Amino acid sequence: MRTVTASALCFLLWQPVQAETLFVACDNGLRCFRAPCPARDVLLLPSNRRLSRTDASLTQLTEAERKRVAEVSGTYYGTIVFAGEIDEGRKPPVVATRIVREATKAEAALCRKRS
């Protein structure tokens, strides 16, 4: 009986681990007259897949991390690599959970590349 109870408890508490995705967020050059304005793109690393007109939510970052992003305009120039979750069925579909590192020059340059 204990084995059945333990197995059932594990099954109920088990949740699939969502893989952490690395990305940079940057300005896409689009300008709007009213909100919402899809003026950001997210570039997934290392695949360099571009999620056009997609902004990343920074609400799960710590206050210190959000301040760092603001100080260097990290989501404008694509200078910060974030780790987070991608769920294209959710709004916003990209949620940053932490800052990983500074972006390399090549990664930041991907922001200026239009496809």
Side-chain angles (χ1 to χ4, degrees):
M1 182 68 174
R2 285 184 181 171
T3 306
V4 173
T5 304
S7 296
L9 184 60
C10 287
F11 179 77
L12 291 173
L13 296 177
W14 179 81
Q15 293 182 1
V17 176
Q18 191 161 19
E20 197 173 55
T21 302
L22 298 182
F23 64 90
V24 290
C26 52
D27 183 71
N28 63 18
L30 184 66
R31 298 297 173 259
C32 307
F33 294 102
R34 61 184 140 128
C37 182
R40 299 270 188 269
D41 287 353
V42 169
L43 295 156
L44 305 180
L45 301 174
S47 69
N48 301 338
R49 180 176 155 223
R50 182 180 293 265
L51 300 177
S52 297
R53 299 179 179 187
T54 301
D55 203 356
S57 170
L58 305 180
T59 58
Q60 290 190 15
L61 297 179
T62 66
E63 185 64 36
E65 288 174 322
R66 285 194 299 270
K67 185 177 178 184
R68 178 180 168 196
V69 171
E71 287 173 352
V72 297
S73 300
T75 59
Y76 183 82
Y77 296 110
T79 56
I80 296 178
V81 175
F82 298 95
E85 302 168 353
I86 309 293
D87 181 354
E88 295 188 39
R90 173 179 62 201
K91 293 285 183 188
V94 181
V95 176
T97 55
R98 66 187 177 96
I99 292 176
V100 177
R101 60 180 166 78
E102 297 293 320
T104 64
K105 287 184 179 184
E107 290 166 340
L110 290 170
C111 286
R112 294 180 290 284
K113 215 180 207 185
R114 304 285 186 252
S115 40

